[in-house]
Amino acid sequence: MSTKLVEDYLESVGWEYHRLSAHSLRIWWQGPHRSVPICIRVDPEGFLAVAVVSGLKAPEDPEAASRFFRRLMEFNYRMMMAKYAIDDDLDVILAAEYPIATLDKSQIRDVISHLAHYADKHWDELGAEVAQGDDPC
């Protein structure tokens, strides 16, 4: 799969995208409660990585962080096709990664839809506990 296949899919469903690099794109999904930025990367090593960088930061206070991480783990347990993670800068990321060799357009759609759904569903609760960040992608 190449970035071109992802672009073709996005164009076929009418989603506008912005090319960030040779292998990366960004789209905006409009959900019931918010617009969600979704970054898509077709890795030359053979993976499709899709992520929503929320703009939220995990709490630095150990007690608050413990509660927050426990909540993320509860979400992760219940979610399909996606998981929350925290990067080195404490950014909250909702991501999915799949081998690209067997993915088709319907699976690309499903991954994007699931991430957008979970982001839209969980952001208010997560945002109530942490400070907002800047531009998500």
Side-chain angles (χ1 to χ4, degrees):
M1 176 188 295
S2 69
T3 306
K4 178 74 172 127
L5 180 63
V6 175
E7 290 172 334
D8 289 347
Y9 166 71
L10 295 173
E11 289 170 4
S12 76
V13 295
W15 282 353
E16 292 184 28
Y17 62 88
H18 175 72
R19 179 176 286 282
L20 300 174
S21 72
H23 302 286
S24 300
L25 309 168
R26 178 178 55 211
I27 63 173
W28 289 85
W29 181 84
Q30 182 59 51
H33 303 103
R34 67 193 40 81
S35 181
V36 177
I38 300 176
C39 301
I40 303 168
R41 176 170 165 71
V42 179
D43 188 293
E45 298 297 319
F47 289 90
L48 175 71
V50 183
V52 178
V53 182
S54 68
L56 300 173
K57 297 268 189 192
E60 291 187 33
D61 172 71
E63 188 174 315
S66 178
R67 285 191 310 271
F68 185 76
F69 296 151
R70 186 176 308 112
R71 189 65 179 135
L72 289 183
M73 288 187 286
E74 290 169 359
F75 286 149
N76 282 351
Y77 180 75
R78 293 192 316 249
M79 292 188 308
M80 294 179 11
M81 301 180 81
K83 298 297 175 206
Y84 282 103
I86 306 295
D87 72 8
D88 293 341
D89 297 322
L90 297 179
D91 295 313
V92 178
I93 300 167
L94 177 59
E97 184 176 81
Y98 293 93
I100 59 177
T102 59
L103 285 181
D104 62 28
K105 288 181 179 181
S106 69
Q107 292 166 311
I108 296 169
R109 177 200 64 226
D110 290 347
V111 170
I112 292 169
S113 296
H114 277 82
L115 261 70
H117 167 76
Y118 292 132
D120 191 64
K121 181 177 178 179
H122 299 148
W123 256 220
D124 288 340
E125 179 179 342
L126 295 174
E129 298 184 35
V130 297
Q132 293 284 349
D134 292 328
D135 185 6
C137 289

